[in-house]
């Protein structure tokens, strides 16, 4: 068994919320609340229009600023799209890719994600790749198949030595914005399975890759989820929209981040 230290990541996903003025108020409220918290990485995934202001305001703090989407090409005739080099030029640290809202409402495909993930890495952005099953897929015992397909296809073009540079977020779609959080057993089982899928590609990467849980994470349930062996942080939607609950979730992750991992069984 190898003893690996994975620093937890708490990432707030604002979705399509907050004008620049609202974002400024938020960051001024958040920074003092998280400045003393050690042993945890903190990210805010914000609308494109808030990026520059948030990067300026968060500079020198522990809060990193991420985007919520990008196009796979560096430039081109793609009206309304934004590329990885454009984000990097602003000093954006990373990007959410394949969120279920983008997959479900905006036609994001595994084929596009197979191009977006390596394009983000090549530009120096840290991708947070979202995967997860629908309620129907869970009811039909199809969760493992769905996760296997998404992980296999979306990460196909990422070489083994770069797999650990991707953050994976396991977000069961039935738990997103519903208040219906996965049980600790469901979260641990799915995330251990995802880690085993990464191990099938590269065992060393599987020990280092950070896998987050997302879906109705709140201050009240964060500590229990974050204590699970394979859970390396959280992707937080609704509870990230106010500084206080988000800071409470960050505080729940601030613990000695020693995690013992061995190869998980492959199903
Ligand atoms: P939620 O959203 O925390 O509001 O459920 C999570 C997400 O969409 O990433």
């Amino acid at each position: 068994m190898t003893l690996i230290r994975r620093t937890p990541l708490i990432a707030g996903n604002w979705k399509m919320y907050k004008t620049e003025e609202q974002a400024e108020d938020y960051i001024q409220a958040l920074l003092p609340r998280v400045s003393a918290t050690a042993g945890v990485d903190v990210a805010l995934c914000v609308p494109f229009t808030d990026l520059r202001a948030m990067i300026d305001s968060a500079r020198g703090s522990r809060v990193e600023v991420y985007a919520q989407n990008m196009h796979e090409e560096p430039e081109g005739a793609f009206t309304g799209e934004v590329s990885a080099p454009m984000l990097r030029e602003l000093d954006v640290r990373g990007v959410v890719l394949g969120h279920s809202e983008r997959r479900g409402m905006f036609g994001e495909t595994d084929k596009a994600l197979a191009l977006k993930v390596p394009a983000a890495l090549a530009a120096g952005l840290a991708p947070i790749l979202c995967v997860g099953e629908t309620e129907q897929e869970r009811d039909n015992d199809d969760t493992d198949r769905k996760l296997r397909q998404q992980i296999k296809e979306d990460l196909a073009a990422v070489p083994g030595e770069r797999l650990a540079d991707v953050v994976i977020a396991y977000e069961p779609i039935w738990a997103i914005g519903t208040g219906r959080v996965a049980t600790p057993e469901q979260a641990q089982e799915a995330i251990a399975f995802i880690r085993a899928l990464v191990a099938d590609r590269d065992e060393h990467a599987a020990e280092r890759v950070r896998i987050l849980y997302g879906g109705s994470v709140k201050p009240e349930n964060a500590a229990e989820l974050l204590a699970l062996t394979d859970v390396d942080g959280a992707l937080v939607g609704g509870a990230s929209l106010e500084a206080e609950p988000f800071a409470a979730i960050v505080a729940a992750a601030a613990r000695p981040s020693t995690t013992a991992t061995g190869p998980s069984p492959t199903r």
Side-chain angles (χ1 to χ4, degrees):
M1 187 181 270
T2 324
L3 201 62
I4 290 282
R5 220 171 242 287
R6 295 189 297 265
T7 305
L9 169 65
I10 302 297
N13 174 19
W14 282 358
K15 312 192 179 185
M16 198 177 74
Y17 287 98
K18 295 195 190 298
T19 64
E20 197 180 88
E21 197 182 329
Q22 292 165 335
E24 276 296 348
D25 289 347
Y26 176 101
I27 195 92
Q28 298 315 330
L30 181 70
L31 290 180
R33 288 180 160 87
V34 296
S35 62
T37 317
V40 51
D41 291 341
V42 183
L44 285 177
C45 313
V46 307
F48 290 131
T49 47
D50 293 334
L51 285 171
R52 188 185 286 277
M54 288 304 93
I55 286 161
D56 286 346
S57 297
R59 206 178 296 283
S61 80
R62 61 180 313 105
V63 176
E64 295 178 332
V65 179
Y66 281 50
Q68 299 175 6
N69 183 32
M70 54 162 246
H71 195 273
E72 59 269 27
E73 293 293 333
E75 61 181 10
F78 303 107
T79 301
E81 294 290 320
V82 169
S83 76
M86 291 170 182
L87 296 173
R88 264 318 290 160
E89 194 188 63
L90 288 183
D91 261 353
V92 170
R93 178 73 173 66
V95 60
V96 178
L97 294 176
H99 190 280
S100 61
E101 286 153 15
R102 295 220 57 85
R103 292 178 188 260
M105 289 187 267
F106 302 102
E108 179 100 291
T109 61
D110 289 314
K111 205 165 147 221
L113 288 163
L115 298 172
K116 287 187 180 196
V117 179
L121 289 170
L125 293 170
I128 300 179
L129 172 69
C130 302
V131 297
E133 79 286 359
T134 63
E135 181 161 35
Q136 197 184 3
E137 285 163 339
R138 177 161 283 272
D139 289 347
N140 293 345
D141 257 346
D142 240 1
T143 301
D144 288 1
R145 185 201 55 77
K146 177 73 171 293
L147 295 177
R148 184 184 287 109
Q149 176 200 320
Q150 291 182 324
I151 294 291
K152 185 164 176 260
E153 290 185 25
D154 301 354
L155 296 177
V158 178
E161 69 272 14
R162 297 237 46 199
L163 279 174
D165 297 329
V166 179
V167 173
I168 301 171
Y170 167 62
E171 297 206 307
I173 295 168
W174 46 270
I176 295 178
T178 58
R180 242 185 91 196
V181 65
T183 65
E185 294 72 29
Q186 288 170 327
Q188 168 59 29
E189 191 188 9
I191 289 177
F193 179 64
I194 292 169
R195 197 175 300 286
L197 292 171
V198 176
D200 288 345
R201 289 274 317 276
D202 187 305
E203 286 204 11
H204 186 55
E207 289 167 7
R208 291 182 303 133
V209 69
R210 290 189 291 184
I211 311 180
L212 317 182
Y213 168 78
S216 296
V217 176
K218 308 274 177 244
E220 303 78 55
N221 57 30
E224 189 178 25
L225 290 161
L226 293 168
L228 298 167
T229 314
D230 279 290
V231 176
D232 303 318
L235 185 56
V236 185
S240 76
L241 289 173
E242 300 288 337
E244 205 166 313
F246 186 60
I249 295 169
V250 171
R255 63 196 150 85
S257 56
T258 307
T259 308
T261 50
S264 314
T266 307
R267 280 181 265 169

